[in-house]
Amino acid sequence: MFTALPITRQEHAVHGAVEAEHPDTIETRLWLEEHEWLYGLLRSDDNVSPTFRFPDLISACVSLVFLHEDAVSRIFDLLGTKLVLRSPQTPRRRESMWRQQYDLLLAVQRSPANRHPNPKFQLDQLTTACVALCRQFEDADGLVLRQARLNMADRSARWRLPRAG
């Protein structure tokens, strides 16, 4: 697992073994309100066969937001109207997402909409915005679980292809 967050030496020692096991995931943080919603989905009776974990659920939310042509506008609109009003000390939980969805958010983070003179939003805020946007969809739980299945099938198909090198 790779991290986009600064970590202490102690955290590196604790998580070092995990990094080697999951090279296709990136660490992020998720604000508490959105984390609690995804935790409820994680524990729901609908999350079975397979049971999707946080990297799958977070990545599904990111994928769902990016199905819309105006994904970047939606993200920055939510950030600028709702999330910005939350306390900067809002608790966060450390989680992971799959690299493919991280790359989407990295492009948003590096976009002109996140440069001067605009405020600079971090990965945890972008990730949280995607989850918050998904919560607004009708049948959000079903959509996220369906997208998690599609993402898993896509990853499996790509992993079966011969790798360069």
Side-chain angles (χ1 to χ4, degrees), residues 28-152:
T28 188
R29 294 183 195 259
L30 195 60
W31 292 23
L32 191 58
E33 186 177 326
E34 286 71 22
H35 186 276
E36 288 174 351
W37 176 68
L38 281 184
Y39 185 77
L41 183 55
L42 173 82
R43 301 305 242 172
S44 82
D45 291 338
D46 295 330
N47 186 16
V48 293
S49 295
T51 301
F52 292 105
R53 296 189 171 99
F54 271 98
D56 301 304
L57 299 175
I58 292 170
S59 295
C61 289
V62 173
S63 293
L64 283 168
V65 169
F66 278 88
L67 289 176
H68 300 272
E69 288 184 24
D70 62 344
V72 175
S73 296
R74 288 177 184 224
I75 291 168
F76 281 109
D77 182 55
L78 186 92
L79 287 168
T81 60
K82 295 200 170 71
L83 292 185
V84 75
L85 298 176
R86 292 187 190 176
S87 167
Q89 281 75 40
T90 297
R92 291 150 170 84
R93 296 283 186 250
R94 180 181 299 192
E95 294 298 344
S96 300
M97 75 174 82
W98 291 98
R99 178 174 291 284
Q100 183 176 3
Q101 286 72 30
Y102 164 75
D103 289 341
L104 293 170
L105 292 181
L106 185 60
V108 172
Q109 189 174 22
R110 292 177 175 167
S111 74
N114 205 34
R115 290 192 200 129
H116 181 74
N118 300 315
K120 181 180 180 183
F121 292 100
Q122 301 299 326
L123 179 63
D124 69 314
Q125 294 161 319
L126 299 171
T127 306
T128 298
C130 288
V131 175
L133 285 167
C134 280
R135 289 180 68 188
Q136 298 174 2
F137 295 151
E138 188 174 325
D139 187 29
D141 291 7
L143 286 173
V144 170
L145 291 173
R146 198 169 310 113
Q147 187 63 48
R149 289 179 186 283
L150 292 171
N151 288 355
M152 181 182 171

Side-chain angles (χ1 to χ4, degrees), residues 1-9 11-13 15-16 18-20 22-29 93-99 102 106 109-110 123-124:
M1 169 179 58
F2 293 94
T3 183
L5 304 172
I7 60 172
T8 65
R9 261 186 237 188
E11 287 176 320
H12 189 344
H15 298 291
V18 175
E19 287 181 25
H22 303 289
D24 293 323
T25 61
I26 302 292
E27 188 175 287
T28 188
R29 294 183 195 259
R93 296 283 186 250
R94 180 181 299 192
E95 294 298 344
S96 300
M97 75 174 82
W98 291 98
R99 178 174 291 284
Y102 164 75
L106 185 60
Q109 189 174 22
R110 292 177 175 167
L123 179 63
D124 69 314

